[in-house]
Amino acid sequence: MLAPQAIDRCRNKQGVAVKPATTELPVVVIGAGPAGLAAAAHLVDRGIEPLVLEAGPAAGAAVRDWSHVRLFSTWGELTDPAAEKLLAPTGWTRPDPATYPSGGDWAEQYLQPLADALGDKVRFGTTATGVSRAGRDRIVDADRETQPFVVHVVHADGREERLFARAVIDASGTWTTPSPAGGSGLPALGEKAAADRISYRVPDLKDPAVRARYAGKRTAVIGSGASAFTALADLADLAKSDDGTGTKAVWILRRGISGSTFGGGEADQLPARGALGLAAKAAVGDGYAEAVTGFRTEAIERDSDGRLVLVGEDGRRLQPVDEVIVLTGFRPDLSFLSEVRLNLDERLQAPVELAPLIDPNQHSCGTVYPHGHRELSHPEQGIYLVGMKSYGRAPTFLAMTGYEQVRSVTAAIAGDLDSADRVELTLPETGVCGGAGLFDAPDAAQSSEDGGCCGAPATLQNGIGVPAAFGGC
């Protein structure tokens, strides 16, 4: 195999740069999160050289953004077998499989050690800016499939580089592209101009600086998933504290309130998840949050005091707020894939064959049929979207699903179709998963008997985003 640094430096006897044979090239993996690092481990296990490109400075950069949030999944559902095999010689000790880690635990105790074990196969501070076929834009058919992939990257210092690859696995997730406040899916008028008062993440109110930002303020929370529940519950707790007097939340719902608005409550298979919905319901019932229903944000304006006024599509103007927290889900960044031929569902922006299996109108994280390389394939052979990114705009993603995806995809890349086509995953029978914001509460049972849902930081239910991030739903 060619060393990573030699990928773009092959020359013939005349000193002219030439592309190396495709079979000599590594598989480029975009993203050093749970799915990306697991893909690299599976490739190593099959004797294929991976090259992982991570835009952040450390492994699990997105996970670290919600490091304070505890996952619904146990450690037993958050590690990949091939990764454990790679970690074993390093002296790594697997955490108690029955316990629930925080995002920070997951990053520090598993993802970073895994990246360290992969060594120079992982490059940090390296952002993929384009993927194509060498010498072929998306229009050209001639000899297309015989050409290696070319990946353009930008390093943290601004230096650009071109890399060749035999295949590309995009595990970059959706964390960096949250959905906007605008009810039409586009940013509300004035949303970008009000960026200094808007957050697209559940705030960590244990951080003194963040806490001071919301204490005693009136905050609009836009969204109806577990992340919104978490924000409402946290703001209510802040309002009850000595330093939070006067804190008030305004909960903006695009729909009305029904029996299912707050989740399963006491009937929820996951007690902590049910408790989270009940806490949000209590925040409204106790007067710490005010619900505004049927409101689709069209514009965000500033009043004479600099506070924000939300304007609805129906003309309603809400009372001014000091801050806005937008928790309306996430979407994939497809901009750097514009020169490869993808076949994506027009609604979910997920692979066409996968979309019916993950439609949130029909499925929760525990009812998605296990799937692999065939559902994740595209007209452009050799490129795969995996992990949270494979779900497009659909929420409730399980880490275990991502690990099964990369096991199948890497087997297919290695030419082992028998293994690639074999289903090696049984999902827990849980309902729609969401955040874990109440795991530390004394009355929030931390039982794994129901199969705990993988990690959706209470932060995003498009999530996983979990945060929409990964790990669970």
Side-chain angles (χ1 to χ4, degrees):
M1 295 295 176
L2 293 177
Q5 62 269 24
I7 294 172
D8 198 26
R9 300 177 185 172
C10 295
R11 297 182 180 278
N12 61 19
K13 294 180 180 180
Q14 290 72 41
V16 177
V18 296
K19 295 186 293 292
T22 301
T23 54
E24 298 176 340
L25 296 172
V27 173
V28 164
V29 180
I30 303 174
L37 291 174
H42 280 275
L43 290 167
V44 168
D45 193 48
R46 288 185 170 275
I48 299 174
E49 186 78 4
L51 177 58
V52 183
L53 309 178
E54 170 56 49
V63 174
R64 293 173 190 272
D65 277 355
W66 45 269
S67 61
H68 59 292
V69 180
R70 194 170 300 279
L71 285 76
F72 275 147
S73 297
T74 63
W75 269 116
E77 299 163 323
L78 295 171
T79 60
D80 175 82
E84 290 193 28
K85 180 179 178 180
L86 187 64
L87 283 165
T90 70
W92 177 78
T93 301
R94 184 189 190 195
D96 183 346
T99 60
Y100 297 84
S102 66
D105 295 334
W106 200 16
E108 290 297 333
Q109 298 179 39
Y110 171 66
L111 299 177
Q112 192 61 53
L114 179 54
D116 293 342
L118 289 164
D120 62 6
K121 295 177 175 63
V122 182
R123 295 188 186 181
F124 297 110
T126 306
T127 303
T129 59
V131 179
S132 186
R133 290 283 188 177
R136 306 287 188 275
D137 62 22
R138 67 180 297 155
I139 299 176
V140 180
D141 292 331
D143 299 322
R144 186 177 190 86
E145 293 182 2
T146 65
Q147 302 302 310
F149 287 95
V150 59
V151 182
H152 283 204
V153 303
V154 174
H155 297 274
D157 60 5
R159 178 172 54 91
E160 297 183 338
E161 187 177 5
R162 180 182 63 165
L163 307 173
F164 291 107
R166 63 187 289 183
V168 175
I169 298 175
D170 182 359
S172 59
T174 58
W175 180 247
T176 60
T177 47
S179 296
S184 62
L186 300 173
L189 299 178
E191 182 171 346
K192 294 180 180 179
D196 61 317
R197 296 288 187 92
I198 300 176
S199 172
Y200 298 86
R201 308 284 189 264
V202 172
D204 179 6
L205 296 182
K206 294 179 181 179
D207 182 318
V210 176
R211 190 176 184 86
R213 176 175 176 175
Y214 296 96
K217 305 292 180 59
R218 181 178 171 87
T219 299
V221 177
I222 304 176
S224 59
S227 298
F229 292 170
T230 303
L232 292 169
D234 287 352
L235 289 170
D237 286 341
L238 177 58
K240 299 172 190 177
S241 66
D242 292 339
D243 63 340
T245 303
T247 302
K248 179 80 172 184
V250 182
W251 187 19
I252 310 300
L253 291 146
R254 292 173 178 170
R255 301 177 183 176
I257 292 181
S258 66
S260 62
T261 298
F262 297 98
E266 295 179 357
D268 199 299
Q269 294 181 33
L270 297 176
R273 186 185 63 207
L276 184 61
L278 292 176
K281 185 176 183 179
V284 175
D286 294 342
Y288 295 109
E290 151 192 356
V292 178
T293 60
F295 190 94
R296 294 181 175 272
T297 307
E298 180 178 82
I300 299 177
E301 301 176 356
R302 287 187 188 268
D303 68 6
S304 58
D305 295 325
R307 303 177 78 198
L308 303 181
V309 176
L310 274 60
V311 182
E313 293 179 350
D314 57 4
R316 277 185 289 172
R317 301 174 65 87
L318 303 185
Q319 292 297 312
V321 296
D322 301 288
E323 299 284 344
V324 177
I325 301 174
V326 181
L327 302 170
T328 53
F330 290 78
R331 53 187 61 178
D333 177 9
L334 302 170
S335 61
F336 62 92
L337 301 176
S338 62
E339 292 305 315
V340 289
R341 299 172 177 180
L342 303 180
N343 192 14
L344 300 176
D345 179 74
E346 62 182 10
R347 293 184 304 125
L348 297 182
Q349 294 181 298
V352 166
E353 296 299 321
L354 176 61
L357 306 181
I358 62 174
D359 185 340
N361 293 306
Q362 303 293 329
H363 297 282
S364 70
C365 60
T367 64
V368 173
Y369 184 81
H371 53 274
H373 74 109
R374 296 196 183 278
E375 292 83 0
L376 298 171
S377 63
H378 295 278
E380 193 78 72
Q381 296 183 22
I383 186 166
Y384 301 92
L385 278 57
V386 302
M388 189 64 218
K389 189 159 187 178
S390 71
Y391 270 39
R393 299 194 184 197
T396 63
F397 184 81
L398 285 166
M400 291 186 295
T401 297
Y403 295 152
E404 173 63 7
Q405 286 180 343
V406 300
R407 184 205 63 78
S408 174
V409 164
T410 54
I413 291 173
D416 184 358
L417 293 184
D418 287 342
S419 177
D421 288 335
R422 189 165 57 245
V423 174
E424 298 182 3
L425 173 68
T426 301
L427 293 173
E429 294 182 0
T430 63
V432 174
C433 306
L438 297 187
F439 259 81
D440 294 322
D443 58 347
Q446 295 189 29
S447 171
S448 62
E449 296 177 357
D450 292 315
C453 191
C454 306
T459 341
L460 315 167
Q461 171 137 7
N462 162 50
I464 136 241
V466 199
F470 199 115
C473 309

